[in-house]
């Protein structure tokens, strides 16, 4: 047999199920696991708990719900023959506490399904940045998460500071990588593109034994531009060993202007005059603003249109030439002399006859 055939797993091969014949005497010790659940999950757990007990009873594992302490407990019994059943039951109650619905949770009891709870709360320092990156993992209307589920064949649930994944081992490995990269500020679309290419390459039997590095895209990190300079720059003043001059007090200003030596009446009168002057300026400005509405706008100058001159210059010489040309042409009625000559000729012809 070739070494290549030994290394590959035949298509459709499954590991045989663990039955009572493999462990007829059962377990020596009783094992138990307990986990706490938040207050908002209490109503849902009360509804679905009979289904949980029914699913676990098939594997001979007991489950108890304590609503006072807010905890779920699973324990093995004397009939339990599968030693790994209690581990699956522990994962089941953990996923229920992390808001995964029972329709997906009961799949953990199958042999080819596992789960992974990824803690993402401590990977990012700032709360705002953490919320943005968690939203990036979900995508618009959950589209990014849906694409990741289709590519990895895993059910993914993002809840609070954890990401719960449920599916085959190979898919869970990819989910963990994508989630951690997203929290490190690497967009999930890059990993999704890589997974899509791997999915297509796995369909080709010739490429199974070859390296896929030449097909996978290599994304380079772009260097960000220099940090923008702030609008307000704090410029340091030149160091001087002498202290700055002491600011003048109100008494010093009054002494300089001579107001300090005035009497109380004079000071009061001066203040009243200053107030009146300010009031007069304000009144003047207000009056100007009101008068602006009564100032008529500048009219545009009217442009007079030149009337077309009705009188035309009469060209006498041109008229004379037209008359001469008309005389030369025999148009219309004959002149009087020709008429008389024609009449005389006609009378002579009559007399001869």
């Amino acid at each position: 047999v070739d070494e290549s055939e030994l290394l590959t797993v035949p298509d459709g091969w499954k590991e045989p199920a663990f039955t009572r014949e493999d462990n007829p005497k059962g377990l020596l010790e009783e094992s138990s696991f307990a986990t706490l659940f938040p207050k908002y999950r209490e109503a849902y757990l009360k509804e679905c708990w009979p289904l949980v007990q029914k699913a676990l009873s098939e594997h001979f594992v007991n489950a108890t719900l304590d609503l006072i302490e807010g905890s779920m407990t699973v324990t093995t019994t004397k009939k339990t023959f599968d030693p790994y059943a209690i581990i699956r039951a522990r994962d089941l109650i953990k996923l229920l506490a992390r808001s995964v619905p029972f329709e997906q949770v009961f799949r953990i009891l199958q042999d080819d399904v596992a789960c992974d709870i990824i803690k993402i709360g401590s990977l990012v320092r700032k709360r705002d940045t953490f919320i943005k990156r968690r939203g990036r993992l979900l995508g618009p209307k959950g589209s990014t998460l849906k694409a990741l589920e289709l590519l990895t064949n895993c059910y993914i649930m993002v809840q609070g500071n954890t990401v719960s994944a449920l599916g085959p081992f190979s898919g869970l490995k990819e989910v963990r990588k994508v989630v951690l990269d997203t929290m490190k500020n690497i967009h999930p679309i890059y990993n999704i593109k890589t997974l899509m290419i791997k999915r297509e390459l796995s369909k080709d039997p010739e490429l199974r034994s070859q390296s896929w590095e030449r097909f996978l895209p290599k994304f380079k990190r772009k260097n960000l531009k220099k940090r923008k300079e702030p609008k307000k720059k704090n410029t340091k003043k030149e160091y001087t060993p002498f202290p700055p001059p002491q600011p003048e007090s109100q008494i010093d200003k009054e002494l300089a202007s001579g107001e300090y030596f005035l009497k109380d009446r004079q000071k009061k009168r001066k203040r009243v005059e200053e107030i009146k002057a300010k009031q007069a300026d304000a009144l003047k400005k207000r009056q100007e603003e009101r008068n602006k509405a009564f100032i008529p706008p500048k009219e545009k100058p009217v442009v007079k249109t030149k009337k077309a001159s009705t009188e035309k210059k009469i060209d006498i010489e041109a008229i004379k030439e037209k008359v001469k040309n008309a005389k030369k042409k025999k148009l219309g009625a004959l002149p009087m002399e020709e008429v008389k000559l024609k009449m005389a000729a006609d009378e002579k012809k009559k007399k001869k006859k």
Side-chain angles (χ1 to χ4, degrees), residues 142-244:
S143 58
T144 307
L145 201 68
K146 188 68 180 174
L148 200 59
E149 285 180 352
L150 292 170
L151 289 166
T152 57
N153 296 323
C154 294
Y155 175 81
I156 305 165
M157 181 74 184
V158 181
Q159 175 72 15
N161 295 332
T162 58
V163 177
S164 306
L166 184 73
F169 290 98
S170 58
L172 292 175
K173 187 180 176 182
E174 296 293 342
V175 170
R176 178 171 275 274
K177 183 179 180 298
V178 173
V179 170
L180 294 177
D181 283 352
T182 306
M183 289 295 123
K184 291 175 185 174
N185 203 19
I186 298 169
H187 203 280
I189 194 67
Y190 298 124
N191 288 310
I192 286 169
K193 282 183 180 178
T194 308
L195 288 171
M196 288 171 73
I197 294 163
K198 283 181 179 178
R199 191 180 187 181
E200 293 298 320
L201 291 170
S202 63
K203 292 177 183 178
D204 193 349
E206 294 179 1
L207 294 170
R208 283 186 179 180
S209 59
Q210 296 179 15
S211 178
W212 292 351
E213 286 185 6
R214 65 182 189 274
F215 300 108
L216 300 176
K218 294 177 182 178
F219 302 105
K220 293 181 180 179
R221 285 193 176 185
K222 292 181 181 178
N223 291 327
L224 296 172
K225 293 180 181 179
K226 290 182 181 179
R227 190 172 63 86
K228 291 182 179 179
E229 294 181 357
K231 289 182 179 179
K232 294 180 180 179
K233 291 184 178 180
N234 296 326
T235 54
K236 288 185 178 181
K237 296 176 182 179
E238 293 181 3
Y239 174 74
T240 53
F242 306 105

Side-chain angles (χ1 to χ4, degrees), residues 4-63:
S4 60
E5 291 181 9
L6 290 170
L7 293 171
T8 56
V9 178
D11 293 333
W13 181 86
K14 285 186 178 180
E15 192 176 348
F18 193 87
T19 59
R20 183 172 284 281
E21 295 173 1
D22 297 321
N23 187 16
K25 293 182 180 180
L27 304 176
L28 294 173
E29 293 290 335
E30 185 182 298
S31 302
S32 64
F33 288 101
T35 185
L36 299 172
F37 61 87
K39 184 72 176 174
Y40 60 85
R41 291 290 290 168
E42 186 177 323
Y44 180 78
L45 289 172
K46 280 170 72 177
E47 287 180 11
C48 72
W49 197 250
L51 298 171
V52 174
Q53 287 179 326
K54 187 181 177 181
L56 290 174
S57 64
E58 294 175 3
H59 296 268
F60 305 103
V61 177
N62 287 336

